Amino acid sequence: MVSKRKRSKSEDKESLTEDTSKAGKQPLSKKTKKTNVYNEVEENDSVFVKLLKTSGLILKRGESQNQLAVDQIIFQKKLFQTLKKHPSYPNVIEEFVSGLESYIEDHASFQNCLLSCERLQDEGASIGASYSKSLIKLLLGIDILQPAIIKTLFEKLPEFLFEKVNSDGTSMPRLIVSQLKWLDRVVDGKCPPLQDLTTKIMQLISIAPLYLQHDFVTSLPEIVGDSQHADVGKELSDLLTENTLLTVPILDALSSLQLDPKFLSKVRQLVMDKLSSVTLGDLPVMIKFILHSITATDALEVISALRGKLDVQHFILPSQFNHFQSKLKYKGQTSSSGNQENGGQDCVTLVFGVIKSAVRYEKIIAEAWLKAIENTSLVSEHKIFDVVMLLIIYSTNTQMKKYAERVLRNKVRSRCFEDDLLQSTFLIHQLVLKDVCPYILLLAQSFLHSLDQSISWFGSLLYKYSFNVFDTYCKQEVVGALVCHVCGGSEVEVDTALDILLELVVLNLSAMRLNAVFVKGILDYLDNMSPQQIRKLFYILSTLAFSKQHEGSNHIQDDMYLVIRKQLCSTVFKYKLIGIIGAVTMAGSMSSGRNRPSSFTQGRADLSNEQYTQVTSLLQLVHSFSERSPRASALYYDEFANLIQGEKLVPKALEWVGRTTFNDFQDAFVVDVCVVPEGDYPFPVKALYGLEEYSSHDGIAINLLPLLFSQDFAKDGGRMTSQTSDQKLVSPLCLAPYFRLLRLCVEKQHNGNLEEIDGLLDCPVFLTDLEPEERLESMSDKELSFICSLIFLTLNWFREVINAFCQQTSPEMKGKVLTRLKHIVELQRILERYLAVTPDYVPPLANFDLDTLDVTPPASTAVSAKIKKQGSTGGRKRKADGSKTSSPDTLSKEGSSECNPTPSDRSQPEKEFKGKEENTSVSLRNYRAFFRELDIEVFSVLHCGLVTKFILDTEMHTEATEVVQLQPPELLFLLEDLSLKVESMLIPSVNRRVPFSKSKGSRTVGFTHLNQRPAEEIAHSIVQLLTPMCNHLENIHNYFQCLAAEDYGVVDGSGMKVQEYHIMSSCYQKLLQIFHGLFAWNGLFHPDNVNVLYSSFEVLTSRVKQREPDQALEELLSQSFNYLQNFHQSIPSFQCALYLLRILMAILERSVDPAQKKEKIASLARHFLCRTWPSGEKEKSSIRNEQLHALLCIYLEHTDSVLKTIEEIAGVGVPELINSPKNASSSTFPTLTRHSFVIFFRVMMAELEKTVKGLQAGTAADSQQIHEEKLLYWNMAVRDFSILISLIKVFDSHPVLHVCLKYGRLFVEAFLKQCMPLLDFSFRKHREDVLSLLETFQLDTRLLHHLCGHSKIHQDMKLTKHVPLLKKTLELLVCRVKAMLTLNNCREAFWLGNLKNRDLQGEEIMSQNSQRSTEDESEDDTSSQVSKGRSTEDGEKDEASDGEKEQESGESDDDSD
């Protein structure tokens, strides 16, 4: 027996090399060669020499090549025939081999026999045909000689094992072994000489030097025959455990052998055990072997084990990691261990090269790797290696690209991949990731499009680290991608991209300057950018242009000057506002960027004369272009104030501003209180809301009503008659912005001391009597609009006054601030009454950036014909369609018309409350854009308790004292504003998504100043307020506790009591809402915010126990959890209950041991579901449904047993509801009513499907106990499913049926994937249990089939679209049950029966088929009959009947159509 072996290219090349090495020794001329042949020929009378010469081979002496006169094949054939025909055959073989042994005793002759022969040719022969094998190789090709020759070689080989390599680089052991490689035929190992071939080779390996051991092992697959692969594999596996140094060659050899998969798995496990102890150089080969030995059945198991053992980060030396980190800051710095680092990094690159090749061409490996990462649940178990693998699979395997992206998104959402992990990934594996840089940028682009803030944040990190780590080309690609996001993305996307660019400018200014030309191109896309985005862009460009260390950026400066001047000169007001924002931002950078000391020490260097002139000239330019437009002036004042507040203006420029601001403000808005304005005013002018008693010749007042009247009533064609065209325009619209600028100038110049302007806190305002009393009905629309504008301007003045003086420490000032707060609440109450009867009124602007150019109160829907005709009655018109962009004509209207409040194209809001006496249904939340923004510092007022205010007489003596306290209405006012700020800054945007109809900037309207501060600063401010908020929360808790003790929470007393109850309830809700915003903030647990984290929970912990130093975070979380859960007894509303649970869940997410807290949350959720809420809570509204849905989900997600909980609700609560009167509810679950049933049903179906889908499918290798537990679990799940499905016979509304169709199909699919494999190997041991399970489930599938027929009959498109998928799933179930029976040798138990189509009530749905076969009407009952002696066939036949029934239904549907 022989086996054929193919000659490899490697052997040809090897032999050709040997031949070439001897070519230099050959004579050039043929004559000389013939002469040498004659002189060097081996001549003797041995059989060996004679037979070789007879066959065509001439032996040479010394180092000369043996010469072959005939073709190799002819030589072998002649020698074989000569030996066979020799008279002394087979003894002649021994003589021949003996001659060979004698001949090769000479070292030179032996080496000559191992080298290739020279082919003698005729004159016309081709030179390229001169190659031939060595003599030994030719003899090994003859079957009858091969065993003896191999024996001879093995006997000769030990002589050369420990000899040094020859001077010409020839190694005799390697030459000898090379003769055995790639033989055309290998005689079967059954022959005695070759039977122990494997043993001899392994013996040689055991005694040979290490360098030869490598060669011998790697040569084994090329030597042994296929029949010996198993024996060789076993020997190599044993050697693998004994000699670690031979790991690499052994694995190479094993990879080339044909081995049994089971044996390979054992070897693979040996290799896996060695992974943690091998050197980095061996790792690529080991990984390659493991990956190539994977099969589809064990891929996930192997990859999971490999992922657990392999962490390339551990193979990087600490010095290397520090070196990588320092590279971000110190480019080009070399390390003392550079060679070692480069070698280690090269090995890591090889490892990932092997993995990259495997996941690219083997789908099962890529899929298994993704599943292994996906199945990792604990955050601490995720490694740098996981991030790299996801990026590699995403970039190399197109089939798994979407899957890899989905896994990465899920890991980011679950916070498994944090900033530190990603940063370490880029630092350590930058060489590996550099090759996939385009795919990383593609992934970052996709992530930045996401509405999920966590996904968008991760995309921004990909951009940032790609820019920091990769080369110049990649940096350019990053900047280009970010510019594309800015120019063509959504609002959130633009914000994120600009934030990244800003961070890159701050961290790596020199690299960003090289790409400044790309950033500069964004100036062409300013039209669609918000004010905050424009500020960021101009700050980025200004930093690049005016940084001190780069004075030569003149091209950027010139372009910015051109754009700003062009925008300021525009007649379109929108562009003028862009110019103002850009110019002020640029002035701030000019003032601060160039002149900040390079060492960043405290203190600011002042401007040089030239720079001072540039800054002041730019600001004067803006002022000159905006002074004739109130809105432009107001925006300029606000932007200038923000510049000063951000400390971006040096003292020299600040002094220049302060010289003019004070006098200009006083001349424009302040008058003596004793001089009452005279004129033809529609209302009597009075000085109101003064906090001090002034004498007749002392004091000042704000001249508000006369200024408003001069622009509202005394105008002709839009021009003011009280002023000439050369006079400076004074508009009440500028009052609040100008005061903000004045206040900040004084504050910065005097280190927070406001004594120079403290008279503005208590001075009165020239107004009129604002209480409507009985005159509302008699007032004209123009008068009502005038009063509304007057109140709005007064409120905004008071808001800015509170912003200014809220941080003053004296009790006198605190008392006045509290009084102003009380005035604001009173004025808002009055304003609501006016707005209720003035539905089409549009207030004057209070925020003057682009976000509010087209903001209208949201109730506007239409415009009446009367209002259309009265366009000249004054005021700024709004578009009837509420679009977010106005025409140039509208935007360019300047002067007096900008603050004239007249009816706009709006209908009356809250029409359902029309006609109710003294009941104002207008909500000022809809007018948030028209109120001045409260600074975050204002909420320090929450610290105030009882404040004693001293009333002084004219001689500054104390005349009386007054105690001022923060009352519930003022508290509610502050908490509402604070909650909106928290929602805007800390809550992820995905949780506060707004409808598409909202304007672009609706989310940021009214938060212009807030958005210029980082979220970390806002969170720190909230933490500082936690103590007073806890005080207020506890007081409100006590209030409701006392109320419940008095009348059990029933609020049916006086109107004052009802109003007080609702105010306190709203305060409770707002406090919980603020707490939730803080504790659910994604940045709270960021390493940079550790101080904020500990401070926040220390405050809550101190409310329970005395504060202790250095408490562990887990202890703080536990105490805070206990503190907050104690408030559940006094929760006044369902929404408050939901907020409390969400706060506790936010704390639970960060707890190390969440089991106990999870149980408490479930208990609280059940408590709230089983509680009877006040009557107002049961009104029908979408918000109420959303709240109930959220709370029920929380209950089912945190309960110990979802199946038992569902069974309790569906089996106890729902029957109670069915048996109760129409408007009643379940006695066990009072929140379960007929209106809310669909919410309960939807949540229970969804959670049931989610629960069974998460149950792992059983395997045959599992223990019997596990099989029984899983079978019991599925019995409970199917029973719950049956209870829920059966409810559609009672509650057959459209939403309930829709839920049933959707989640019914998903449940059946989960049953197919998770339960049927369990039934496959549980059928024989648990026959009755499986039978019972299938019987129950068969009834459910029949009801689902009836539901499909019901949907068809009623022609409901929303229901019908689910029918095809559901029918397909039911058919798959029938086939799967049939396969299960076949597997268990019960094929005969499966049979089909026809079932009729019926509706939900069991009535037959008539079709052509059913009409023709009325005699089969009773077969439905027959097919479902079950006898005592049946096996599983009864359960299976009904399943099959469902499939047949579906077919009939399809035919019926076609016929009916």
Side-chain angles (χ1 to χ4, degrees), residues 175 305 630 975 1151 1179 1183 1272 1338:
L175 277 177
L975 293 177
S1151 178
E1179 297 176 357
I1183 297 178
L1272 178 61
Q1338 181 269 333

Side-chain angles (χ1 to χ4, degrees), residues 1297-1315:
L1297 299 183
H1298 181 271
V1299 170
C1300 190
L1301 282 172
K1302 177 182 177 180
Y1303 290 102
R1305 175 180 62 84
L1306 295 176
F1307 185 88
V1308 176
E1309 289 179 352
F1311 187 88
L1312 280 169
K1313 295 178 182 179
Q1314 311 295 334
C1315 185

Side-chain angles (χ1 to χ4, degrees), residues 163-216:
E163 289 188 0
K164 295 183 179 179
V165 180
N166 297 340
S167 59
D168 59 354
T170 305
S171 173
M172 290 298 293
R174 288 174 178 168
L175 277 177
I176 295 174
V177 172
S178 68
Q179 308 304 309
L180 301 174
K181 294 182 181 179
W182 302 113
L183 297 176
D184 293 333
R185 289 181 294 274
V186 178
V187 176
D188 199 324
K190 293 180 180 180
C191 299
L194 289 180
Q195 192 172 12
D196 58 348
L197 174 63
T198 303
T199 305
K200 289 183 177 181
I201 295 178
M202 298 308 297
Q203 289 175 351
L204 285 174
I205 292 174
S206 63
I207 63 174
L210 182 62
Y211 78 98
L212 290 178
Q213 287 179 336
H214 281 74
D215 292 338
F216 292 167

Side-chain angles (χ1 to χ4, degrees), residues 662-783:
F662 187 87
N663 293 332
D664 289 348
F665 179 83
Q666 187 170 349
D667 295 341
F669 302 107
V670 180
V671 295
D672 293 332
V673 71
C674 59
V675 182
V676 179
E678 296 181 358
D680 189 16
Y681 301 119
F683 305 103
V685 179
K686 296 181 179 179
L688 302 177
Y689 296 104
L691 302 183
E692 298 286 352
E693 294 293 336
Y694 295 103
S695 65
S696 59
H697 300 288
D698 191 13
I700 58 174
I702 301 300
N703 192 29
L704 187 56
L705 187 147
L707 286 177
L708 181 61
F709 175 77
S710 65
Q711 296 188 45
D712 190 17
F713 280 81
K715 67 176 182 288
D716 182 14
R719 294 188 179 273
M720 307 223 283
T721 58
S722 60
Q723 296 175 340
T724 65
S725 59
D726 295 333
Q727 284 181 296
K728 183 178 180 180
L729 185 63
V730 178
S731 170
L733 205 64
C734 300
L735 172 61
Y738 210 160
F739 174 68
R740 180 179 179 82
L741 177 62
L742 171 65
R743 182 259 297 186
L744 288 171
C745 283
V746 174
E747 187 177 293
K748 295 300 179 183
Q749 287 179 323
H750 298 86
N751 296 322
N753 191 345
L754 299 179
E755 287 185 2
E756 288 190 8
I757 59 173
D758 61 356
L760 296 175
L761 172 61
D762 50 26
C763 72
V765 183
F766 278 139
L767 301 170
T768 187
D769 289 329
L770 299 177
E771 284 290 347
E773 298 176 352
E774 302 296 332
R775 58 179 179 170
L776 273 179
E777 297 180 359
S778 62
M779 294 175 67
S780 65
D781 290 344
K782 192 173 183 179
E783 291 173 337

Side-chain angles (χ1 to χ4, degrees), residues 992-1009:
R992 44 182 166 86
R993 195 175 303 168
V994 296
F996 292 108
S997 60
K998 296 291 185 70
S999 61
K1000 178 181 178 181
S1002 59
R1003 182 170 57 84
T1004 58
V1005 168
F1007 298 123
T1008 304
H1009 305 146

Side-chain angles (χ1 to χ4, degrees), residues 291-292 294 357-367 397:
L291 294 179
H292 286 186
I294 287 178
S357 176
V359 299
R360 173 179 293 169
Y361 301 111
E362 296 292 340
K363 180 181 177 182
I364 60 171
I365 296 179
E367 186 176 7
N397 195 311

Side-chain angles (χ1 to χ4, degrees), residues 780-812:
S780 65
D781 290 344
K782 192 173 183 179
E783 291 173 337
L784 288 171
S785 297
F786 180 83
I787 293 294
C788 288
S789 295
L790 197 61
I791 298 176
F792 267 104
L793 293 171
T794 306
L795 282 168
N796 287 328
W797 164 250
F798 286 160
R799 281 172 168 257
E800 278 302 335
V801 167
I802 291 176
N803 283 338
F805 296 97
C806 63
Q807 292 185 291
Q808 299 302 304
T809 57
S810 67
E812 181 73 14

